[in-house]
Amino acid sequence: MTHARTLPRRLLFVAITLLALHSPAFADCKSDNISCVNTCLLPGLAGALTKHDDTAFRSCSDKCDSQLSICLIDEQARQDQERRQQEQAAAAKRAADARQSAAQQARDNAAQAALDARQAAITEKYPGRLAMPLAVLLGNPGTSVRDVADIRQLAVGTVLLKGRFFYVSEADHQVKLLDLVAGTTQSLNIAGVKTLSAIYRDGKPAFPVAMMPGKAPNELAIQVLDSNSTPRSPVIHTGFKAYRDPAKDYTAFSPVFYLAGNQLAVYSYYDADPDVRVFDLTTGNQVTMMSLRGGRGAAVGVVGDHLVVVAAWPGYGQIKAFDLTSNATLFTAPLNVGQVGEQDGLWSSFSNNGRLLSVSWRSNDQKSNRSAWYDASTGKAMCRFDAESSFSEKQGLFASGTRIYSQDCNVVRSFDAAKGGSLYPLGSDHWTVSYPAQEYKQQLLDKDGTPRLDHLVNSVAQLDDGTFLLFEDKQPMRLLSPAGELTTSTVRTASYAIVNDPYFESSWFDDGYRITIGRVDHNVGMAAFMAAQNKDDYETTAQYKSRIASLTTPFSVEGALGRYDADTQILPLTLGKTALQLHMAADDARRLKGQSSATLAGTAKVLEPGVLEIVSATLTAAGVAPLPVQLPKAARSGTNPAPTASTSARQKRKN
């Protein structure tokens, strides 16, 4: 009876133990326990069943039980420690976010207080006139920002073109095309697409590429689309295998595409010995293939009209470039980044216009960087830097560390504001600095190295007209005009966005993955009006004042309506956060009943630099014809205006 009672309990323990080991929480204990079972427990169990002697079985069972208990205790302690670390990290992030939010709120409050004071001074100076500083007109009335789309349930991998947005829906796994102008969405009849990529031209996406499993689930097939969603190629079976992360349970394709004429070059970042394959877009057939066995840091680009591949062979201290169409060697050049270890990072890239080639090295411990630049056509060595570097195609200058260099590698200027960061070109005369010690947040510098922002932001982008877009994590996006006017929009974005003027795409992880698409609209006439207010270096102050006094332009801006006061006949209208007190007859104000907002329109003229007056002002709303408005005069407003010299003198005479 003892054996009968003992064995079922032991067998039950074995069953529970084996089941427990299948739990992900106990995965780290599995190998040790299986070793114990294989060497001791199973033979002991066999002896107990055949010889009716469970001494060895119990001894082994206790040993395995003890080992498993210790392992589970250690595993539980490890999980508890990991949970505490995650909670501490989450608490630290919440505290950092709260500090950032409080600092931003303090800056906003200070800016608004200064703006309110300025508005009050202008109102006193120009009584009875609808006068206000430019900042009250939302900073830059020549530019406005609005939401275009908010998309959820989509796969990672999207393509933003001018007016068109391609994505893969997780709901029906179809490729969708959203017309950003018409607001319509259509499904494209392309089966099995997992994600999207793009072919780039001049640094911007030009053609979407649908990526799908090929003849085998782990093989890559692609189809190139036109910007209007028409297939530009048949389905092309590339022969590339999926990349599988050995430390994580997922697979992915990571190809890069380059197009020259009708020839498409494809290669994968993650292949140890990458092949570059060229396909004909019309037939989908492979035209040629080049093996870069032993090569590292490969890059493909369009140099002139040719598809070119370059790679480095550190063992030989060389880089080589090949014409992918003819397989001819274009040049061999020295690898000018010094000694390269097996575990060090090494990569190459072409400039957007294909004129220059860079090779960059980073030590395995991430603490050291070197970079070298070459003429992409000839391989002639240009500049070498003991740090990261970048090149401005519009300015024709290199940047590395805190310094700007000419193409002859001479120092042009040095920026103190870039200390501790890395310089990158932006547009024709600006630079951004990314600070690794501050979560890679950025500052914007002008051509002389003067900071343009009052605090660091997550990222900076630029539109074609020179307007800067400032992105901060889950904060309203701000715009900085070339003239320096700052606009705060109502469109909240993530810390980074893809910009394809006039649209921008911002990715979020907020109750799942989502995309916000916004649009920046320009009032060309207002932009010219704003630019005309800048003083020319060759005009006198008198000439400047005379010229701006005659500047006018049509103007309109939307504001929030307040509650009408029939006694004073005042209707509040809030622009941004600044409230204006407009005078309007009761019969006219009644026509705006039920409206939460209205558009203030009229003709803008310059009273003085930075101050506008809106003449012939009207308020309009949906279904409401324009209604005439004006600022109430001091005697009619019911308010006590600030004393002036004349009012003080009259008061003394009265007393």
Side-chain angles (χ1 to χ4, degrees):
M1 293 297 293
T2 301
H3 298 302
R5 288 194 300 271
T6 302
L7 284 178
R9 286 200 300 270
R10 299 287 181 181
L11 290 174
L12 180 61
F13 166 77
V14 172
I16 294 173
T17 299
L18 294 176
L19 287 173
L21 291 176
H22 284 286
S23 171
F26 302 139
D28 292 340
C29 302
K30 186 173 183 179
S31 59
D32 290 342
N33 194 266
I34 288 178
S35 176
C36 176
V37 170
N38 289 338
T39 60
C40 184
L41 182 57
L42 294 181
L45 179 60
L49 293 175
T50 58
K51 300 178 181 180
H52 302 288
D53 180 6
D54 67 345
T55 303
F57 178 85
R58 284 184 294 171
S59 176
C60 255
S61 176
D62 291 341
K63 176 184 175 181
C64 292
D65 188 14
S66 176
Q67 289 181 352
L68 180 60
S69 297
I70 293 172
C71 181
L72 293 178
I73 291 171
D74 291 343
E75 173 66 18
Q76 186 64 49
R78 186 194 66 77
Q79 292 184 15
D80 290 343
Q81 176 67 16
E82 184 177 299
R83 186 181 67 255
R84 285 193 296 270
Q85 290 175 345
Q86 292 174 347
E87 291 173 350
Q88 290 171 358
K93 186 177 186 305
R94 288 194 298 270
D97 290 344
R99 288 193 300 271
Q100 179 182 351
S101 178
Q104 182 63 50
Q105 186 63 50
R107 288 191 292 267
D108 291 345
N109 291 343
Q112 186 61 43
L115 188 58
D116 290 343
R118 181 92 193 280
Q119 177 64 62
I122 291 173
T123 300
E124 179 183 343
K125 184 176 180 179
Y126 300 100
R129 303 172 76 172
L130 193 53
M132 63 198 74
L134 285 175
V136 169
L137 304 176
L138 304 185
N140 181 6
T143 305
S144 60
V145 184
R146 59 186 173 92
D147 277 317
V148 175
D150 186 80
I151 307 170
R152 300 173 185 263
Q153 291 187 315
L154 75 167
V156 177
T158 59
V159 180
L160 175 64
L161 303 180
K162 288 183 178 288
R164 291 171 179 267
F165 181 68
F166 293 79
Y167 67 98
V168 179
S169 169
E170 281 195 336
D172 57 11
H173 305 288
Q174 292 287 314
V175 179
K176 306 286 187 179
L177 169 58
L178 169 61
D179 188 316
L180 298 174
V181 178
T184 57
T185 302
Q186 67 180 91
S187 295
L188 309 183
N189 189 23
I190 307 175
V193 177
K194 298 298 184 182
T195 187
L196 298 173
S197 185
I199 298 170
Y200 283 73
R201 282 184 175 171
D202 296 325
K204 294 184 178 181
F207 303 107
V209 180
M211 299 165 57
M212 61 205 78
K215 296 177 181 178
N218 67 333
E219 290 182 347
L220 171 65
I222 62 173
Q223 187 170 28
V224 181
L225 307 177
D226 231 324
S227 59
N228 61 3
S229 76
T230 303
R232 192 178 176 88
S233 76
V235 174
I236 298 174
H237 295 276
T238 67
F240 284 108
K241 304 293 185 182
Y243 163 73
R244 182 176 181 85
D245 190 318
K248 300 176 182 178
D249 187 21
Y250 73 87
T251 59
F253 296 113
S254 298
V256 183
F257 309 103
Y258 291 91
L259 183 65
N262 211 38
Q263 306 292 299
L264 177 68
V266 184
Y267 84 102
S268 175
Y269 271 126
Y270 291 111
D271 285 0
D273 294 305
D275 295 332
V276 181
R277 303 175 186 181
V278 181
F279 299 89
D280 184 286
L281 276 191
T282 303
T283 64
N285 295 330
Q286 181 173 304
V287 176
T288 186
M289 181 181 75
M290 177 170 289
S291 176
L292 301 174
R293 191 163 301 278
R296 293 177 59 185
V300 176
V302 179
V303 180
D305 295 327
H306 301 282
L307 279 169
V308 176
V309 60
V310 65
W313 279 264
Y316 297 96
Q318 295 178 336
I319 61 171
K320 293 184 178 182
F322 306 91
D323 187 313
L324 281 171
T325 304
S326 64
N327 285 339
T329 301
L330 296 178
F331 62 78
T332 300
L335 179 60
N336 287 342
V337 294
Q339 190 70 27
V340 179
E342 286 292 329
Q343 301 301 317
D344 294 343
L346 189 67
W347 65 96
S348 307
S349 62
F350 290 91
S351 59
N352 287 339
N353 61 13
R355 195 169 66 84
L356 299 185
L357 166 70
S358 70
V359 179
S360 301
W361 167 87
R362 178 174 294 159
S363 62
N364 186 42
D365 61 8
Q366 309 285 309
K367 294 181 179 179
S368 301
N369 294 274
R370 292 191 291 267
S371 53
W373 291 82
Y374 304 82
D375 184 296
S377 298
T378 65
K380 178 184 176 182
M382 298 178 66
C383 300
R384 179 188 183 279
F385 304 99
D386 290 325
E388 293 183 75
S389 60
S390 57
F391 178 69
S392 171
E393 295 183 27
K394 292 185 177 181
Q395 302 182 54
L397 298 171
F398 292 107
S400 181
T402 62
R403 295 177 175 178
I404 309 299
Y405 298 82
S406 68
Q407 294 185 46
D408 295 328
C409 311
N410 296 317
V411 176
V412 177
R413 50 187 175 270
S414 181
F415 295 155
D416 290 338
K419 289 181 179 179
S422 298
L423 276 170
Y424 298 95
L426 186 62
S428 59
D429 59 358
H430 279 71
W431 305 85
T432 58
V433 187
S434 178
Y435 300 94
Q438 301 187 58
E439 299 179 329
Y440 293 93
K441 290 190 176 182
Q442 298 181 0
Q443 174 61 268
L444 176 66
L445 307 181
D446 64 15
K447 62 181 179 180
D448 298 319
T450 304
R452 298 285 306 275
L453 308 179
D454 60 355
H455 67 283
L456 302 183
V457 298
N458 291 99
S459 62
V460 183
Q462 189 178 36
L463 301 179
D464 295 341
D465 70 343
T467 299
F468 298 101
L469 307 184
L470 312 178
F471 297 99
E472 298 182 74
D473 192 26
K474 297 184 180 180
Q475 296 293 325
M477 192 195 76
R478 298 188 300 161
L479 301 92
L480 184 69
S481 76
E485 294 91 3
L486 189 65
T487 302
T488 299
S489 75
T490 59
V491 178
R492 295 173 69 243
T493 63
S495 59
Y496 174 76
I498 297 171
V499 177
N500 199 341
D501 194 358
Y503 297 96
F504 58 88
E505 166 196 349
S506 192
S507 305
W508 298 68
F509 285 92
D510 183 8
D511 294 330
Y513 184 64
R514 61 184 279 202
I515 291 286
T516 295
I517 299 177
R519 175 179 174 129
V520 180
D521 293 306
H522 303 284
N523 182 328
V524 178
M526 178 59 75
F529 173 76
M530 299 284 289
Q533 295 180 50
N534 297 324
K535 184 179 180 298
D536 188 276
D537 291 340
Y538 303 97
E539 64 180 344
T540 66
T541 302
Q543 290 172 332
Y544 169 65
K545 290 183 177 180
S546 175
R547 179 174 61 81
I548 65 172
S550 62
L551 291 177
T552 61
T553 188
F555 172 82
S556 65
V557 63
E558 187 174 359
L561 288 172
R563 185 182 182 88
Y564 181 71
D565 187 332
D567 293 329
T568 60
Q569 293 190 318
I570 289 178
L571 178 67
L573 178 72
T574 302
L575 303 181
K577 294 182 179 180
T578 301
L580 302 178
Q581 304 294 314
L582 304 179
H583 177 257
M584 179 173 287
D587 290 341
D588 288 339
R590 186 176 287 109
R591 296 171 62 186
L592 293 170
K593 184 178 180 180
Q595 302 283 352
S596 60
S597 64
T599 298
L600 176 66
T603 300
K605 61 179 295 186
V606 180
L607 292 177
E608 60 182 76
V611 179
L612 298 183
E613 179 187 11
I614 309 302
V615 298
S616 303
T618 62
L619 275 183
T620 59
V624 180
L627 305 171
V629 297
Q630 64 183 40
L631 274 179
K633 295 180 181 179
R636 301 172 65 182
S637 64
T639 62
N640 294 319
T644 63
S646 59
T647 57
S648 298
R650 285 196 298 271
Q651 185 66 31
K652 287 180 181 179
R653 286 195 298 269
K654 182 178 180 181
N655 293 336

